[in-house]
Amino acid sequence: MADELKRGLEGVLVAESDLSYVDGEVGKLVYRGYDIEDLARGATYEEVLYLLWHGSLPNAAELDSFAADLAAEREVNDDVIETVRALADAGERPMAALRTATSMLSAYDPDTGDEDGDAGEATLRQGRRITAKIPTVLAAFERVRQGEEPVAPDPDLSHAGNFLYMLTGTEPDAVSEETFDMALTLHADHGLNASTFTAMVIGSTMADVYSGVTGGIGALSGPLHGGANQDVMEVLHEIDASAKDPVQWVKDRQDDGGRIPGFGHRVYKVKDPRAKILEEKLRDLAESSGDTKWLDYTTAIEEYLTDQGLVEKGIAPNVDFYSGSVYDSLGIPLDMYTPIFAMSRVGGWIAHVAEYQEDNRLIRPRARYTGPEDAEFVPIDER
Ligand code: CMC
């Protein structure tokens, strides 16, 4: 029915897309037909970017050239680094700093202003630059905050490996690089989630892709979306500091009427497939390091909520329930978790903007007006 109100656009179809499909009833996620589990275990983030942006998995030569082109774009202008320093000095939050710096990157993009004509190609060229530079911005921000100098990108390292290198100043070991790369793949795309839709709405005005990505970062920063991974880790730290039993913490939160971060999803009614893969990864990492604390806490919480019937009701663990613990085991600071989500999801934002613009239609819904209709205007000096 044309006038039916769908709050939160729940279940509303607004576009056709070949990019990713989420079956929330069975817990399945595919990127262009490939199961997320196969991609997470068998493909690198660069392969996934190629798949999303160019429609098929690359062969070895295509991947080499694509990865080299991406790596060649990692450097950012010194002025951007100076802005990053100013933002860090001002105590800006990482997602807000990323939003500001990403917007600034467009000033140095040779394609900006060339959107007419070859919009799709320009979007992908600009998108490649944004995707390559976001890790540089994030790592520089974190290092400056810690009183360290930024580390220049190394074009010989993978996207995942180079980020960890720029963050710590040391080349990561193979397990850390592989784990981080897997996390990037798992977060790269997810249908029309709030941040992707934000980027698409902006893209539908034929604005440049920097505007879409900047908007996407803003949408992702909220606690109902990308911010939940940090919330989960804060909860685990809180449990640890209070020496409270994790289950008791959940009971207290429920008594206060609060939500459990990392549980529930607009689309998934069963456990998120990405959560399953990250849980397994966390188990491997915990077993090899011998430190099982976060694994024990998360397992206890999940078991309790399962016994309570919450999971059966469709409020099951989502990707954020496990990602924080995995990042913690890689030594990544807590408030960088959501920016890392952005560093990965930018691939999906760009793919959706490029796809939508190929057959663009301005996105412009409407609201049912519930305000007064015949208010009598009174000039200001008579009010
Ligand atoms: N803990 C306890 N109860 C919950 C939770 C939760 N985490 N999530 C949903 N519920 C309950 C909610 O109280 C409501 O119950 P009732 O019908 O009795 O009022 C019912 O489930 C439906 O909730 P809703 O808010 O209408 O559902 P939604 O589809 O709008 O919410 C959500 C989706 C992700 C916003 C929500 O589940 C939530 O707030 N989860 C916690 C935050 C979180 O983990 N977010 C990450 C999402 S996945 C990664 C991403 O997309 O960025």
Side-chain angles (χ1 to χ4, degrees):
M1 206 206 285
D3 275 343
E4 192 188 349
L5 180 64
K6 290 276 194 179
R7 290 186 69 235
L9 290 181
E10 190 161 354
V12 175
L13 283 176
V14 297
E16 291 187 325
S17 174
D18 291 346
L19 292 166
S20 59
Y21 170 65
V22 184
D23 185 336
E25 299 299 323
V26 299
K28 188 177 169 70
L29 168 63
V30 299
Y31 297 166
R32 291 198 187 270
Y34 296 98
D35 193 277
I36 191 63
E37 190 158 349
D38 293 334
L39 292 172
R41 295 191 201 288
T44 60
Y45 180 68
E46 284 91 330
E47 282 172 79
V48 167
L49 282 181
Y50 188 100
L51 174 69
L52 290 173
W53 294 353
H54 299 294
S56 59
L57 283 170
N59 63 28
E62 287 165 337
L63 179 62
D64 276 357
S65 135
F66 177 79
D69 287 350
L70 187 69
E73 299 284 4
R74 287 179 183 155
E75 300 268 355
V76 302
N77 188 284
D78 289 347
D79 291 347
V80 176
I81 296 293
E82 286 316 306
T83 299
V84 165
R85 282 185 204 279
L87 292 166
D89 287 349
E92 183 58 292
R93 298 143 301 151
M95 279 299 272
L98 178 63
R99 190 195 61 224
T100 302
T102 302
S103 181
M104 185 177 179
L105 288 173
S106 73
Y108 307 96
D109 191 311
D111 276 318
T112 311
D114 288 353
E115 291 82 32
D116 299 342
D118 65 343
E121 284 305 311
T123 297
L124 288 184
R125 279 197 304 275
Q126 293 179 333
R128 188 177 67 209
R129 294 186 191 111
I130 301 172
T131 305
K133 291 178 198 317
I134 279 183
T136 312
V137 165
L138 282 177
F141 179 78
E142 175 56 21
R143 286 189 69 85
V144 171
R145 259 196 328 173
Q146 301 305 330
E148 315 246 26
E149 274 305 296
V151 171
D154 180 346
D156 293 332
L157 296 177
S158 70
H159 197 71
N162 174 61
F163 174 70
L164 295 177
Y165 164 66
M166 290 190 297
L167 197 65
T168 61
T170 314
E171 274 191 38
D173 59 52
V175 173
S176 302
E177 181 176 353
E178 197 186 296
T179 303
F180 190 62
D181 181 82
M182 177 187 259
L184 292 181
T185 289
L186 289 175
H187 288 85
D189 198 31
H190 206 241
L192 291 199
N193 57 87
S195 56
T196 301
F197 188 57
T198 302
M200 268 175 62
V201 171
I202 294 172
S204 84
T205 71
M206 297 309 278
D208 70 278
V209 71
Y210 283 89
S211 305
V213 170
T214 304
I217 293 169
L220 188 70
S221 68
L224 298 187
H225 193 4
N229 55 11
Q230 184 176 330
D231 293 347
V232 172
M233 205 58 215
E234 277 168 358
V235 165
L236 298 182
H237 280 296
E238 192 184 316
I239 291 170
D240 201 37
S242 66
K244 219 186 239 181
D245 177 56
V247 170
Q248 190 54 47
W249 182 92
V250 174
K251 288 179 181 165
D252 291 348
R253 170 63 68 105
Q254 288 177 322
D255 289 346
D256 294 343
R259 291 186 172 202
I260 315 300
F263 273 74
H265 199 276
R266 177 60 66 80
V267 185
Y268 290 119
K269 299 305 161 212
V270 295
K271 190 167 176 173
D272 183 330
R274 301 167 300 173
K276 283 189 197 161
I277 298 167
L278 284 175
E279 179 187 5
E280 233 180 271
K281 198 74 198 170
L282 178 63
R283 205 166 284 282
D284 290 349
L285 292 168
E287 276 162 14
S288 64
S289 71
D291 182 356
T292 61
K293 188 166 62 185
W294 302 144
L295 178 68
D296 295 343
Y297 291 1
T298 44
T299 307
I301 294 171
E302 186 175 340
E303 275 175 10
Y304 173 70
L305 292 174
T306 306
D307 289 347
Q308 269 212 325
L310 206 74
V311 174
E312 207 182 329
K313 265 177 37 192
I315 304 162
N318 60 50
V319 65
D320 291 329
F321 192 58
Y322 288 101
S323 58
S325 309
V326 169
Y327 297 148
D328 185 76
S329 67
L330 296 178
I332 296 173
L334 199 139
D335 61 0
M336 293 300 279
Y337 298 174
T338 313
I340 285 170
F341 193 161
M343 173 180 155
S344 163
R345 184 58 58 85
V346 66
W349 295 332
I350 289 157
H352 280 274
V353 169
E355 182 187 57
Y356 192 78
Q357 286 182 338
E358 269 176 31
D359 184 20
N360 192 64
R361 178 143 180 92
L362 177 71
I363 298 174
R364 204 299 190 190
R366 62 194 182 96
R368 180 182 297 152
Y369 179 65
T370 55
E373 280 184 22
D374 299 315
E376 191 181 331
F377 180 77
V378 180
I380 190 151
D381 51 356
E382 291 170 32
R383 268 176 243 156

